[in-house]
Amino acid sequence: QVQLVESGGGLVQPGGSLRLSCAASTFTLTYYNIGWFRQAPGKEHEGVACIDNSDGKTYYTDSVNGRFTISRDNAKGTVWLQMDSLKPEDTAVYYCQADVPSSSLQTMCVYPHQYDHWGQGTQVTVSS
């Protein structure tokens, strides 16, 4: 079973920044599209940003476009989510997911319910 480990969350004031990391414990991320998702209390998982495995194509949900940046270093087997200008509504547990390279980035991000297994995630709290 694919196991992904998220880290980097924390408490930050509105307008602040955080950088989340996603790494794999049982395989290398290099050959997979990777997405960041979040789940706020009482809500379903929401796609935030997705990146393909090779040419750096990205997809962002409208609410984070221009504030968040997804990137990856295949040599290090790590994917990051740089989050700037954070808002209280960004508060959630953030997760990463892997999918096969043939998957559509938009489909990956828009339909998180297709994924059955989620890791422990990392908590992001934006509050003054």
Side-chain angles (χ1 to χ4, degrees):
Q1 180 176 338
V2 170
Q3 290 186 334
L4 297 168
V5 179
E6 304 91 348
S7 62
L11 172 63
V12 63
Q13 292 185 343
S17 298
L18 282 174
R19 189 192 196 201
L20 307 183
S21 297
C22 173
S25 61
T26 58
F27 71 107
T28 177
L29 294 177
T30 302
Y31 306 109
Y32 294 87
N33 294 346
I34 302 296
W36 279 100
F37 300 82
R38 65 188 179 187
Q39 186 176 30
K43 296 187 177 181
E44 296 185 348
H45 287 92
E46 173 192 22
V48 174
C50 295
I51 187 168
D52 76 0
N53 70 312
S54 59
D55 59 10
K57 289 181 180 178
T58 58
Y59 176 91
Y60 296 93
T61 193
D62 288 346
S63 62
V64 307
N65 199 14
R67 300 188 298 121
F68 291 10
T69 304
I70 188 171
S71 61
R72 68 191 298 162
D73 185 331
N74 283 340
K76 295 182 178 179
T78 304
V79 175
W80 296 278
L81 183 68
Q82 177 67 40
M83 305 187 296
D84 299 317
S85 302
L86 282 162
K87 304 176 181 180
E89 52 263 43
D90 295 317
T91 295
V93 179
Y94 283 71
Y95 304 86
C96 55
Q97 275 285 359
D99 206 337
V100 295
S102 59
S103 65
S104 156
L105 287 184
Q106 183 172 355
T107 299
M108 184 179 189
C109 262
V110 172
Y111 299 104
H113 62 268
Q114 64 183 304
Y115 303 106
D116 296 325
H117 301 287
W118 298 91
Q120 291 190 338
T122 185
Q123 175 71 48
V124 172
T125 302
V126 185
S127 175
S128 54

